[in-house]
Amino acid sequence: MGDPAVRTGPRLSASVAVLTALLGLVAALAAGHLVGAFVGPGSSPYVAVGNSAIDLTPTWLKDWAVSTFGTADKQVLLGGMAVVLMLVAVGAGLLSRRSSLAGSLVITVFGVLGGVAVLTRPDLGQLAILAPLASLTAGLVAFRLLHARALRAAEPVPTSTEGGADRRRFLVGAGAVAVGAGVVGLGGALLGNTRDAAGSRAAVGRLTVTRPVPPPPAGADFAKLGTPTFLTPNADFYRIDTALVLPQVKADDWSLRIHGMVDRELTLTYDDIRNRGLVERTITLCCVSNEVGGPLISNANFIGVELAGLLREAGAQSGAQQLFSTSADGWTCGTPLDVVLDPSRGALLAIGMNGEPLPVEHGFPARLVVPGLYGYVSATKWVTDLELTTWSARQAYWLQRGWGRLGPVKTESRIDSPTSFSTLPPGRVVVAGTAWAQHTGIKKVEVRLDRGPWREAELSTVVSKDAWRMWQVALDIEQPGTHQLTCRATDESGYTQTEDRAPVLPDGATGWHTISITTR
Ligand SMILES: Nc1nc2c(c(=O)[nH]1)N[C@H]1C(S)=C(S)[C@@H](COP(=O)(O)O)O[C@H]1N2
Ligand SMILES: [Mo]
């Protein structure tokens, strides 16, 4: 049986117990953040657990998260983790009103979880374990110290002066932990900033392009009618990746290794690439997770070197089937090698985007871009390693999760204006939108009102078969009421978009984009 003194001894009020546990949590997070800033951006245990959660998320749940929260899914995950941690701390505090044992156990379990997450990250070295260790130690020390002081303050005391001193000692300790965690956490954030890639990107300066593309012609979009601008500004370019914190790779630290089934292994530095003779190419990138009518597509002038040229220099061996690329954060991608090696394809190792060095969120210092393939099989950001190999030897990140191997972009079109469910006066309505069939080109877009005949739309000036095109058509919608507008594209191969609806998994959605409008 337990010591009866434990049962009858001092007991913390619920609020003091919860405060003690929450301060332990704050101390743990701050210490992990600071040490994490030293050993690498993803080694903060909080971030590592989040990254592991992303990698362990089943595809259906990931799809649901993306379709519900869009590109804010990562903020939602981090926020959700914060709420869970806080609830756990509240529970641990309430279980620790007499003894600190339960709280210490909970802290230890979570510390070990953080350690496992950090150790199993593909992109973190062994040293990264220091971050969760710091978290565990700081959490345990802060919690147990405050708990002991709180217990002493809660003891029935002979004189009121001593009780006051004990209470003061607890409050001073609590204040010290709170302030200390703030300082340490802020220190971690500042240190993280000095180690980030933005400074390195700023120092890159202007990229000298040997073969630039001219500015887009005036008729390249119908932005005045509601389509996107032909070139997507970098700040508006859609972003998709599994990185909870952006990989921070400095140009000076970066190198690209080309190896595997090659005659000569190559290692290239940033200067090697930027001095190779940069070309510029207009390429529309889109995500396989883009639903019919969805926004996960953008177009930019990418600046880089010919990927095929690099691989020829390394000497691709016969039998090699895929270009297996790895990013600084351990994400992997498999691209069909014949597509990459085809000189007419124009695959790039890109270091620039719309006249600037690649933005950090789009892969600084370097990424791959392959016209006509979805991003998940072609567009590795923060790329550091290219291995020529077979399909059976290596399985890339999304292939392991049930997505298709080849990933050619499907011909699609989208209505941008009017927007779905808008109400318009009856009469003339200009319908405008976007169509894409990267590396094939768009030949025709047709629009239909309700079940009426297809009407051919006017297309924007063609710039490149690798880029999207905009379209517009004026329709007379006299009858008041609800109407359906549908569009479909035909590409330069003669293929007309199928009406059959396919989901995004495993290799991209199909179907006609239809919207509802009301005239009144
Ligand atoms: N390192 C890394 N590269 C990546 C990804 C990723 O998760 N990690 N996602 C890919 C996917 S699915 C797409 S659609 C494109 C998106 O590129 P963007 O964010 O520049 O638009 O990047 C690709 N490259
Ligand atoms: Mo994607």
Side-chain angles (χ1 to χ4, degrees):
M1 292 307 293
D3 177 355
V6 171
R7 259 178 281 123
T8 57
R11 184 164 175 266
L12 306 187
S13 71
S15 52
V16 167
V18 166
L19 176 68
T20 304
L22 282 175
L23 284 170
L25 170 65
V26 168
L29 289 179
H33 201 57
L34 178 67
V35 176
F38 277 103
V39 287
S43 61
S44 155
Y46 185 51
V47 171
V49 166
N51 274 325
S52 298
I54 291 175
D55 290 353
L56 294 175
T57 300
T59 300
W60 60 265
L61 185 57
K62 174 240 158 203
D63 284 348
W64 175 83
V66 169
S67 66
T68 310
F69 306 116
T71 40
D73 55 343
K74 295 194 185 83
Q75 280 70 22
V76 171
L77 175 67
L78 286 175
M81 283 171 52
V83 170
V84 168
L85 282 177
M86 253 153 38
L87 289 178
V88 168
V90 168
L94 292 177
L95 285 175
S96 309
R97 288 177 66 183
R98 280 188 201 282
S99 147
S100 63
L101 189 67
S104 301
L105 260 172
V106 170
I107 293 174
T108 307
V109 166
F110 274 74
V112 168
L113 268 180
V116 169
V118 164
L119 280 183
T120 51
R121 295 303 308 154
D123 52 327
L124 298 174
Q126 300 291 313
L127 257 191
I129 192 65
L130 292 177
L133 271 181
S135 269
L136 178 58
T137 312
L140 274 181
V141 167
F143 173 69
R144 296 186 65 106
L145 182 135
L146 290 179
H147 195 276
R149 290 192 178 187
L151 267 189
R152 229 169 296 132
E155 235 162 77
V157 284
T159 72
S160 59
T161 37
E162 258 181 63
D166 284 337
R167 220 165 305 136
R168 253 195 316 281
R169 222 167 302 158
F170 168 73
L171 288 177
V172 166
V177 168
V179 171
V183 169
V184 164
L186 199 68
L190 290 178
L191 193 71
N193 282 344
T194 64
R195 291 168 54 96
D196 74 9
S200 169
R201 178 176 182 266
V204 163
R206 268 202 78 75
L207 297 171
T208 311
V209 181
T210 331
R211 275 189 286 144
V213 294
D221 62 48
F222 300 125
K224 286 202 183 79
L225 301 176
T227 74
T229 53
F230 177 72
L231 289 174
T232 312
N234 287 350
D236 300 340
F237 203 97
Y238 86 92
R239 176 188 162 200
I240 291 287
D241 52 63
T242 59
L244 205 45
V245 289
L246 285 175
Q248 303 291 329
V249 187
K250 292 180 176 173
D252 289 340
D253 299 337
W254 178 85
S255 67
L256 177 70
R257 179 165 169 243
I258 305 178
H259 64 113
M261 298 171 73
V262 294
D263 295 334
R264 287 164 296 280
E265 209 176 294
L266 293 182
T267 301
L268 299 150
T269 66
Y270 193 79
D271 282 339
D272 291 339
I273 301 298
R274 79 179 295 176
N275 295 328
R276 249 180 106 89
L278 296 173
V279 301
E280 189 173 32
R281 215 157 265 159
T282 309
I283 299 169
T284 298
L285 188 59
C286 73
C287 183
V288 68
S289 297
N290 199 33
E291 305 281 351
V292 171
L296 301 179
I297 177 163
S298 301
N299 181 54
N301 285 331
F302 287 97
I303 297 167
V305 298
E306 304 280 357
L307 191 53
L310 285 181
L311 300 185
R312 262 197 307 278
E313 205 171 298
Q317 292 174 354
S318 69
Q321 296 167 316
Q322 71 164 324
L323 178 66
F324 188 83
S325 51
T326 307
S327 66
D329 63 331
W331 186 80
T332 57
C333 172
T335 313
L337 190 60
D338 53 347
V339 173
V340 176
L341 286 179
D342 174 6
S344 74
R345 178 67 67 149
L348 291 180
L349 171 71
I351 60 170
M353 186 172 172
N354 290 330
E356 296 172 12
L358 276 181
V360 175
E361 64 270 30
H362 295 294
F364 181 83
R367 76 176 305 169
L368 304 183
V369 186
V370 184
L373 300 184
Y374 286 122
Y376 80 109
V377 290
S378 70
T380 310
K381 306 192 272 189
W382 316 288
V383 65
T384 56
D385 190 285
L386 299 179
E387 180 183 352
L388 278 75
T389 183
T390 59
W391 289 114
S392 58
R394 296 287 230 140
Q395 270 217 320
Y397 187 92
W398 286 117
L399 197 59
Q400 290 170 23
R401 288 161 177 78
W403 294 78
R405 177 200 274 174
L406 298 179
V409 173
K410 295 178 180 176
T411 299
E412 271 292 327
S413 56
R414 178 182 79 192
I415 300 170
D416 295 315
S417 179
T419 51
S420 204
F421 304 119
S422 51
T423 302
L424 309 159
R428 174 150 282 218
V429 174
V430 177
V431 186
T434 311
W436 57 92
Q438 288 93 319
H439 210 62
T440 304
I442 288 290
K443 180 150 84 189
K444 180 167 82 174
V445 173
E446 297 161 293
V447 179
R448 185 175 77 174
L449 172 66
D450 299 320
R451 291 267 144 192
W454 288 101
R455 288 273 313 276
E456 195 167 336
E458 177 196 336
L459 289 174
S460 64
T461 309
V462 63
V463 173
S464 150
K465 67 176 177 179
D466 296 331
W468 59 11
R469 282 179 88 177
M470 314 302 169
W471 52 265
Q472 62 124 339
V473 62
L475 301 179
D476 290 312
I477 311 180
E478 299 301 346
Q479 199 143 66
T482 298
H483 299 281
Q484 252 78 53
L485 289 169
T486 304
C487 67
R488 69 174 187 196
T490 300
D491 64 30
E492 288 287 358
S493 78
Y495 169 79
T496 299
Q497 249 182 273
T498 173
E499 182 178 10
D500 295 339
R501 287 241 158 199
V504 294
L505 188 72
D507 58 7
T510 63
W512 294 339
H513 188 210
T514 297
I515 66 163
S516 263
I517 57 161
T518 303
T519 45
R520 148 165 110 230

